[in-house]
Amino acid sequence: MSPPRTQALAEGVLGRALLHIERGNLDAARPLLAEAVAGGVSTGSNACLFHGAPALEFVLGRAGSADRTVQAAVDRVVHARLAAARQRRESAQLPTLAEFDLIRGLTGLGALLLARAGWPPPLLHEVLTHLVTLAVPAEVDARVLPGWWSPDSPGHQEIAGGHANNGVAHGIAGPLALLSLATRHDILVEGQIDAIETFVTWLEEFGGFYWIALGHLLADEPQQAPPLRPSWCYGDLGIARTLQLAALALGDDARRQKAEELALAALTDPARLDRVTDASLCHGWAGLLTVATAIAADSPTPDRFADPIWQTRQRLVAGIAELVKPGFLEGRAGAVLALEGSNMTGWTRALLIH
């Protein structure tokens, strides 16, 4: 039996329900929520922030509804994922992206736990503790590699020797954002600050690339990153927000300024902006607008971002009608959420922007 597709926050009805909830229209959200649970609630190995019980809890939480049965199911999912991660670590194997990333892994589940009303549960500390272990280098074939070096690829392409993924959606920027946000909420585990420093140092050196492969890491001379799409999921703007969050968590004003300069460069570089091809939240204008607005709000000089934000908004307005999908990450619901600019429910927590 295939898992219920309606429980996919990325493209299912949950994303559309989230838009109605943000607008305060619970009457419009209820039938979509009912459709989402009509085929049962997934708690299997595919359950994550963007699918199944965790996705359902996140959306219900934005409506101020804490369903204890759903939360208990999510807790079981988190326990199972932590157990699998511990077993992997004890076997000295490299992690897959789905173990730790935001979309499918423990970072996304941690974001959900952090978003729970009231003081976050002790289970969040276990998630953070695991993510901190990614800062410990791994040794493979007598080579010392980053602890988040992964043998699988971010897409369907093969990457010989594995890679270190930099993106917010699937790479180390996701754990860094979660650890930084937790720090800002005074939630700390042993080694957390050191891990933040490790991840920041890496992204400051290599964050201009979507990911780093073995050949790049072993090259005698540093390579120059080509102009890449500055999206939320992969690219300079999502990483700039993550670095800004880390700097705010560390109280490092110099690093905050560097992160904001990185964001401004991405928002004003025609070579990079020309690579943005749609209006979506994941990798299009809606994501750029949401991230840029958050960066400006946390900057002591927000006026610098006013014109780039206005330009991005105009591009979103021009392209939103061309989105074919109705959902959250790649569709109209997410783009409308970005365009309307409200965050009363904290929906941007699913993207680790706040």
Side-chain angles (χ1 to χ4, degrees):
M1 180 177 179
S2 61
R5 293 183 180 274
T6 52
Q7 284 169 31
L9 175 57
E11 288 304 335
V13 294
L14 285 178
R16 291 158 55 201
L18 189 59
L19 173 59
H20 291 305
I21 291 168
E22 180 62 32
R23 288 171 164 175
N25 189 351
L26 297 184
D27 287 340
R30 286 190 186 98
L32 295 171
L33 293 170
E35 182 181 345
V37 300
V41 180
S42 175
T43 58
S45 59
N46 64 340
C48 56
L49 176 59
F50 283 85
H51 182 79
L56 180 62
E57 182 191 333
F58 182 80
V59 175
L60 291 175
R62 300 319 95 211
S65 175
D67 188 299
R68 300 301 180 188
T69 301
V70 174
Q71 287 186 340
V74 169
D75 288 351
R76 291 193 296 273
V77 169
V78 178
H79 278 297
R81 300 294 287 276
L82 283 168
R86 282 192 293 269
Q87 185 177 28
R88 187 275 308 164
R89 198 167 65 247
E90 290 166 1
S91 67
Q93 299 296 309
L94 292 171
T96 62
L97 298 179
E99 175 186 295
F100 67 84
D101 74 10
L102 170 61
I103 299 296
R104 299 167 294 172
L106 283 164
T107 294
L109 294 172
L112 172 59
L113 296 174
L114 183 61
R116 280 186 180 174
W119 193 247
L123 197 54
L124 175 60
H125 290 77
E126 295 186 43
V127 173
L128 298 177
T129 297
H130 174 70
L131 295 177
V132 164
T133 68
L134 297 175
V136 179
E139 187 172 334
V140 179
D141 298 330
R143 292 193 183 99
V144 177
L145 300 170
W148 63 96
W149 196 269
S150 181
D152 59 342
S153 72
H156 300 294
Q157 71 276 44
E158 182 178 347
I159 301 180
H163 78 295
N165 199 291
N166 294 332
V168 176
H170 293 295
I172 200 58
L176 174 58
L178 178 61
L179 292 170
S180 301
L181 287 166
T183 301
R184 298 186 74 191
H185 285 85
D186 296 321
I187 302 169
L188 289 164
V189 299
E190 185 177 354
Q192 186 164 321
I193 299 301
D194 288 341
I196 290 173
E197 288 276 5
T198 296
F199 301 152
V200 166
T201 300
W202 172 273
L203 288 174
E204 285 178 338
E205 182 174 358
F206 296 113
F209 299 87
Y210 287 167
W211 53 78
I212 295 297
L214 198 56
H216 189 154
L217 193 64
L218 300 177
D220 293 331
E221 298 291 334
Q223 299 180 30
Q224 185 68 33
L228 297 172
R229 183 179 60 197
S231 55
W232 163 76
C233 57
Y234 279 106
D236 290 335
L237 199 61
I239 286 176
R241 174 56 173 168
T242 301
L243 291 173
Q244 186 195 39
L245 287 172
L248 292 168
L250 297 172
D252 190 329
D253 194 57
R255 273 180 161 156
R256 178 196 55 74
Q257 290 182 50
K258 284 176 61 177
E260 292 172 15
E261 291 298 332
L262 176 64
L264 281 170
L267 288 165
T268 56
D269 180 6
R272 279 179 276 185
L273 295 176
D274 284 347
R275 295 177 179 271
V276 182
T277 58
D278 67 42
S280 72
L281 197 58
C282 182
H283 45 256
W285 298 115
L288 269 66
L289 177 62
T290 305
V291 176
T293 302
I295 291 173
D298 278 333
S299 171
T301 54
D303 290 348
R304 296 186 300 162
F305 294 89
D307 185 64
I309 286 174
W310 184 86
Q311 296 284 352
T312 303
R313 176 178 292 276
Q314 300 314 302
R315 286 167 161 149
L316 172 56
V317 169
I320 197 168
E322 297 177 13
L323 290 173
V324 176
K325 297 179 180 179
F328 178 64
L329 275 187
E330 296 184 345
R332 293 186 299 276
V336 171
L337 278 165
L339 187 60
E340 294 185 354
S342 171
N343 194 32
M344 296 295 292
T345 65
W347 65 267
T348 59
R349 293 182 177 188
L351 307 176
L352 284 179
I353 294 172
H354 293 97

